[in-house]
């Protein structure tokens, strides 16, 4: 490789790093983008009058981001919307970020896992919240 090629490669690598997302940094560009999609989905669901055990959003807002939402427990309206496919070591992202409880049964969680709608890290996170 020539010196010019190495320089071009180094510039390209430094240009890509900010967009690769720091999985443990909530302020990373990638996590901010995911939060944006989650906020959009949460707003849309809050406007609906029907309640479902869960709502799966595939490629929300024409992105590659899938979401899964569960009703807030004890509330007439509102969902907690999660990024459905975080990888091992990534943050579990949700909107709202802080919530008391969600309406999620163990049977519903099993059905979601059987359908392959969520990743293992989210499954583990939700297992402690299922009744």
């Amino acid at each position: 490789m020539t010196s010019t090629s190495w320089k071009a490669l180094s510039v390209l690598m430094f240009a890509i790093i900010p967009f690769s997302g720091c999985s443990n940094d909530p302020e990373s560009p990638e996590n901010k983008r995911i939060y944006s999609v989650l906020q959009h989905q949460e707003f849309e669901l809050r406007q609906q009058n029907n309640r479902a055990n869960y709502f799966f959003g595939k490629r929300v807002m024409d992105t590659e981001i899938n979401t899964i939402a569960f009703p807030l427990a004890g509330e007439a309206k509102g969902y907690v919307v999660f990024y459905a496919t975080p990888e091992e070591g990534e943050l579990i992202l949700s909107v709202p970020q802080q919530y008391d409880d969600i309406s999620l049964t163990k049977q519903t969680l099993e059905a979601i896992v059987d359908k392959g709608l969520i990743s293992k890290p989210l499954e583990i996170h939700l297992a402690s919240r299922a009744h």
Side-chain angles (χ1 to χ4, degrees), residues 88-106:
E88 188 70 37
E90 289 184 341
L91 294 172
I92 301 297
L93 304 177
S94 69
V95 169
Q97 291 176 324
Q98 303 295 320
Y99 54 91
D100 291 327
D101 199 12
I102 56 176
S103 292
L104 175 61
T105 65
K106 291 179 182 180

Side-chain angles (χ1 to χ4, degrees), residues 23-24 30-31 34 38 56 64-68 81-94 116-126:
S23 61
N24 289 322
E30 180 59 17
N31 285 341
I34 293 169
L38 296 177
F56 180 73
E64 75 289 351
I65 298 169
N66 296 335
T67 65
I68 189 113
V81 182
F82 293 91
Y83 174 46
T85 56
E87 294 181 14
E88 188 70 37
E90 289 184 341
L91 294 172
I92 301 297
L93 304 177
S94 69
L117 299 180
I118 61 174
S119 64
K120 189 68 170 175
L122 184 57
E123 175 188 350
I124 292 167
H125 176 79
L126 293 174

Side-chain angles (χ1 to χ4, degrees), residues 44-117:
E44 291 291 316
L45 290 171
R46 196 173 351 121
Q47 304 309 308
Q48 295 181 3
N49 289 326
N50 60 339
R51 297 274 283 183
N53 291 337
Y54 70 93
F55 177 84
F56 180 73
K58 185 166 182 79
R59 300 182 56 80
V60 177
M61 296 175 59
D62 294 324
T63 67
E64 75 289 351
I65 298 169
N66 296 335
T67 65
I68 189 113
F70 303 98
L72 287 164
E75 301 286 330
K77 278 188 159 187
Y79 285 81
V80 177
V81 182
F82 293 91
Y83 174 46
T85 56
E87 294 181 14
E88 188 70 37
E90 289 184 341
L91 294 172
I92 301 297
L93 304 177
S94 69
V95 169
Q97 291 176 324
Q98 303 295 320
Y99 54 91
D100 291 327
D101 199 12
I102 56 176
S103 292
L104 175 61
T105 65
K106 291 179 182 180
Q107 294 80 12
T108 298
L109 181 57
E110 287 174 14
I112 290 166
V113 170
D114 289 346
K115 292 178 183 178
L117 299 180

